[in-house]
Every structure is written in C-alpha cells, then in structure tokens.
C-alpha cells in the first residue's frame, strides 16, 4: 500500500521559497477544525484544540487504511489567525488573538469516518470542543513564503507583505492570515522552525 505524502504530491502548496513571496492557487480542501482565542502559549483551549485535532486525525487515518485501503502521512498543523483589533495582531498582543487550528483531511475521508473518529477520541479525551467540525476551506489565490525562524520573528516578513508586496500588485486581503507548521515546535529550536506564511488575496478596488 502506497502512503500518500501531500507535502510531496502538492509541492506548490508546501514548498514556497524563503526569499520572495509567490502566488499560489489554493484548491478547496477539507479540514478538521477547532476555533478559539487567547495566547497559544498559555491558553488551555489551545492545548485542548491541538489534542483533539491530532486524536481525530490519526483515528481517521487508521480507519481509512483499514476500511478503504488508503494510507497517508498526516498533513501538518495549520492555523488561521486574526484579532478583533488588527493592531493587537501586529503588536503581538497574543492574549487578544483569535484562531482556527486545523489539519487537512484527504478527499477520501468522509463524514462517517470523521464522526467515528470523534467518538473514538471522546473515549480518551472526554467532551470535544464545541467548535470541533469537519468542513471545507476555499482560499483561492494567495501569496506565500517560507519563514525560517521563531514565530515572533515573523513581523518584518508580514510587514513587507502588507506594506510593499500587496500594494505593489494591487491586492487586498481576502481572508485571515494563514500559517502552516512544517516543524514540530516541541522538538525544533526556534531559529530552525519552518513555517509557511500564506495570505489569501483579491484585486483591490
């Protein structure tokens, strides 16, 4: 049985350069998602969200292998980030941040598999977060770059995107800031973290 690795089979989405922003057409994909707010370093809701995302995702992976004969490498954790006041996001006032953490699910994963995976995870973790869900995300055209380094060092890269790159191309925001975590922060020193920074865009009026 071949194991699908989406980071390799979808290189346009997962292998942007580190020295410039590139445009990518992001197809509609389905995700397991959990919403929350607060500092991801300290908020209990964030830790709970990550536990549930991985528990459900791995349960779906093993169920698909057994029932459908399809195996895959679990895709990386991803996050959508925003703040009610955009200044709070730029200033890194993390306690005021809102987020949707998520993990992509292949198209052969269906809702019955998701629901069965939730029930399996419930036996270990208890009651799931109210916002735990299985739904599609359509981003369309986006600009992205690979950031190597600490999450707190993303500021200048994002400033270049917002203040230079997007205005020079006549682009406006078409969705929240999107991050894809290629590194395991528990095992990787901050200077070596690899994170895709993605921003859905549209033509400015």
């Amino acid at each position: 049985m071949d194991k699908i690795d989406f980071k390799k089979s979808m290189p346009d989405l997962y292998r942007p350069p580190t020295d410039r922003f590139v445009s990518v057409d992001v197809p509609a994909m389905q995700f397991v998602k959990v919403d929350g707010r607060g500092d991801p370093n300290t908020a209990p809701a964030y830790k709970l969200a990550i536990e549930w995302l991985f528990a459900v995702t791995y349960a779906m992976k093993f169920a698909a292998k057994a029932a459908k004969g399809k195996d895959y490498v679990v895709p990386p954790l991803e996050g959508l980030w925003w703040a009610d006041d955009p200044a709070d996001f730029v200033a890194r006032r993390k306690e005021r941040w809102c987020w949707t953490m998520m993990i992509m699910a292949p198209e052969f994963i269906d809702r019955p598999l998701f629901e069965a995976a939730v029930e399996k995870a419930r036996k270990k973790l208890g009651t799931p977060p109210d916002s735990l869900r299985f739904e599609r995300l359509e981003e369309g055209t986006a600009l992205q770059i690979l950031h190597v380094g600490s999450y707190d060092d993303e500021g200048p890269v994002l400033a270049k995107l917002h203040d230079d790159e997007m205005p020079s191309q006549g682009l406006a925001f078409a969705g929240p800031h999107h991050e894809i975590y290629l590194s395991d922060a528990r095992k990787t020193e901050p200077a070596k973290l690899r994170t895709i920074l993605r921003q859905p865009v549209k033509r400015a009026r």
Side-chain angles (χ1 to χ4, degrees):
M1 182 187 306
D2 292 333
K3 181 181 289 190
I4 306 168
D5 187 339
F6 295 99
K7 295 193 300 297
K8 295 179 180 178
S9 64
M10 306 172 77
D12 288 350
L13 299 184
Y14 295 106
R15 296 182 184 177
T18 59
D19 59 344
R20 66 188 186 282
F21 289 94
V22 293
S23 180
V24 60
D25 290 322
V26 184
M29 294 184 287
Q30 57 186 10
F31 290 83
V32 181
K33 299 179 178 180
V34 178
D35 301 329
R37 63 186 302 139
D39 187 339
N41 297 306
T42 58
Y46 183 86
K47 180 176 182 293
L48 183 66
I50 302 307
E51 289 177 344
W52 269 93
L53 287 175
F54 278 103
V56 170
T57 294
Y58 273 98
M60 293 191 309
K61 164 189 164 66
F62 294 130
K65 185 175 181 180
K68 299 176 179 286
K70 295 187 177 183
D71 194 12
Y72 63 99
V73 177
V74 169
L77 177 70
E78 307 188 29
L80 306 177
W81 299 89
W82 68 98
D84 295 333
D85 180 352
D88 289 333
F89 191 76
V90 175
R92 313 297 286 180
R93 290 189 281 265
K94 299 178 183 180
E95 71 280 1
R96 301 180 184 178
W97 288 3
C98 303
W99 40 262
T100 296
M101 304 312 296
M102 58 192 192
I103 299 177
M104 190 266 279
E107 290 300 314
F108 52 78
I109 298 292
D110 54 25
R111 186 160 296 278
L113 274 181
F114 165 73
E115 293 173 352
V118 171
E119 290 308 307
K120 185 174 182 179
R122 188 192 300 269
K123 295 176 182 177
K124 177 182 179 182
L125 298 176
T127 303
D130 291 340
S131 61
L132 178 67
R133 62 197 186 279
F134 185 59
E135 69 178 15
R136 300 186 77 76
L137 175 66
E138 297 186 34
E139 289 185 300
T141 302
L143 296 179
Q144 64 179 25
I145 193 171
L146 178 63
H147 172 70
V148 179
S150 168
Y151 301 137
D152 286 331
D153 291 338
E154 294 173 3
V157 182
L158 296 177
K160 181 179 180 181
L161 171 66
H162 300 163
D163 300 337
D164 299 329
E165 195 73 28
M166 290 173 60
S168 70
Q169 296 188 42
L171 299 174
F173 294 94
H177 173 64
H178 186 167
E179 298 190 349
I180 303 171
Y181 306 102
L182 302 181
S183 305
D184 185 339
R186 300 169 300 175
K187 304 176 182 178
T188 308
E189 60 182 272
K192 295 182 179 179
L193 290 170
R194 298 169 65 249
T195 308
I196 297 172
L197 308 181
R198 178 182 293 167
Q199 178 58 58
V201 293
K202 62 184 178 181
R203 285 291 166 194
R205 294 182 177 178

